[in-house]
Amino acid sequence: MSGDTLSFAEAVRARHSVRAFLPDPLSPAQIRSVLEDARTAPSNCNTQPWNIHIVSGRQRDLLSKELLRAEAAGELSGDFTFDQNEYFGAYAQCSRHQVQTRNDALGIARSDREARRMADRRNFEFYGAPHVAMLFAPVFGDGVRVGGDIGMYAQTFLLSLAARGLGGIPQTVLGLYADTVRDVLNVPDDLKLFFGISFGHEDRSSRDNSYRLGRVPAQESVIAHDTPGLFDSRQAPNPPLQSPDDTKGRAS
Ligand SMILES: Cc1cc2nc3c(=O)[nH]c(=O)nc-3n(C[C@H](O)[C@H](O)[C@H](O)COP(=O)(O)O)c2cc1C
């Protein structure tokens, strides 16, 4: 801890996705500090393509209402595709594990579709957060490079929150209703919505925040080339890549 922020190592481990917030708004100075940190993120050719809308107060309430309405009406309008059925093998297993962990923490039975939908709809209430940041950018080419830039910005934003004892959660689900968000915030069509980040003070007493998700060990996703002793001197050189059907591991 230095001053009123955590060290990098503390912040990176303290960060987690917060799914219940206290209603108390942050001060403008607190939000500004996070934005000052986030804008230091690297980007392809230093293009800094991020175009961020911070939404609070009555506009936040209106946006939430419109998103809940659009979800109920099935008015999907994402700028990018997102289909969890496209995950395969070990990735699908990680995804299922994440949903199962949440359902267990909330006491939701796998068969209870309505309870699962209600839990998912909390996304559109920003999990009770007083603020949401909507991350827009222009798209160049197939958009992958800009997506990387937005990811860099978002993680810097999230780590800045964590370092200051605050919480946030990135939400692709909000990006699935891009036209609704653009309409409410008066954003031109050529800015595409990657995702939103709800943020504020974590409600530490909520069971929505009672669990943490693990990660696969580094050596399961890192292959060492001529870097002896990186993990274990007995590690075989270049272990074979997992086939799409290999679901072992990756679900800790
Ligand atoms: C780009 C991105 C989009 C995400 N979208 C959502 C979302 O729409 N709703 C949600 O509840 N969680 C969302 N998450 C949170 C992930 O589920 C979470 O990061 C992951 O399960 C790991 O948990 P942790 O962040 O607590 O470490 C998203 C995460 C990322 C990085």
Side-chain angles (χ1 to χ4, degrees):
M1 187 97 175
S2 93
D4 56 357
T5 59
L6 302 182
S7 72
F8 174 76
E10 290 167 331
V12 82
R13 282 162 184 76
R15 189 215 59 79
H16 57 275
S17 291
V18 171
R19 292 191 175 83
F21 292 85
L22 300 172
D24 317 64
L26 305 187
S27 69
Q30 280 176 305
I31 300 176
R32 216 164 33 240
S33 300
V34 172
L35 294 171
E36 286 299 319
D37 287 344
R39 77 186 178 91
T40 69
S43 58
N44 282 279
C45 305
N46 201 24
T47 45
Q48 305 158 69
W50 36 79
N51 197 290
I52 311 300
H53 287 243
I54 300 292
V55 190
S56 318
R58 286 214 292 259
Q59 277 291 94
R60 172 241 178 255
D61 296 346
L62 175 64
L63 184 58
S64 171
K65 194 173 129 211
E66 283 301 305
L67 284 166
L68 287 163
R69 187 201 55 72
E71 190 271 347
E75 287 175 9
L76 285 163
S77 58
D79 293 323
F80 307 95
T81 61
F82 181 65
D83 181 355
Q84 280 158 289
N85 293 320
E86 288 176 354
Y87 293 135
F88 54 74
Y91 309 103
Q93 193 184 25
C94 282
S95 173
R96 280 196 299 272
H97 176 262
Q98 185 251 316
V99 172
Q100 185 64 49
T101 304
R102 180 203 68 174
N103 290 348
D104 289 350
L106 301 187
I108 297 174
R110 199 191 167 115
S111 56
D112 193 342
R113 288 170 69 101
E114 188 53 22
R116 279 192 281 135
R117 172 154 181 258
M118 294 320 285
D120 289 343
R121 268 172 71 84
R122 289 280 293 149
N123 272 287
F124 306 110
E125 295 165 349
F126 313 126
Y127 292 112
H131 311 283
V132 61
M134 290 294 179
L135 278 59
F136 290 93
V139 165
F140 314 110
D142 65 9
V144 173
R145 306 299 162 206
V146 185
D149 296 339
I150 295 296
M152 296 279 166
Y153 183 95
Q155 175 70 335
T156 312
F157 189 105
L158 292 167
L159 289 178
S160 176
L161 288 168
R164 296 164 197 285
L166 304 170
I169 178 168
Q171 292 168 269
T172 288
V173 167
L174 301 178
L176 302 182
Y177 298 87
D179 284 345
T180 303
V181 178
R182 268 191 292 266
D183 282 351
V184 173
L185 303 181
N186 203 13
V187 176
D189 280 349
D190 55 352
L191 287 176
K192 302 304 177 194
L193 180 56
F194 285 77
F195 50 89
I197 298 179
S198 296
F199 64 100
H201 294 283
E202 177 175 356
D203 179 354
R204 295 181 200 276
S205 69
S206 169
R207 60 185 180 164
D208 294 85
N209 294 326
S210 63
Y211 61 93
R212 296 288 180 272
L213 288 160
R215 297 292 190 269
V216 300
Q219 53 267 51
E220 279 193 33
S221 49
V222 176
I223 296 167
H225 295 263
D226 205 7
T227 315
L230 183 58
F231 300 116
D232 178 348
S233 54
R234 288 162 298 154
Q235 184 180 352
N238 297 346
L241 287 173
Q242 287 186 327
S243 75
D245 295 334
D246 185 352
T247 56
K248 75 177 181 328
R250 299 199 62 114
S252 56

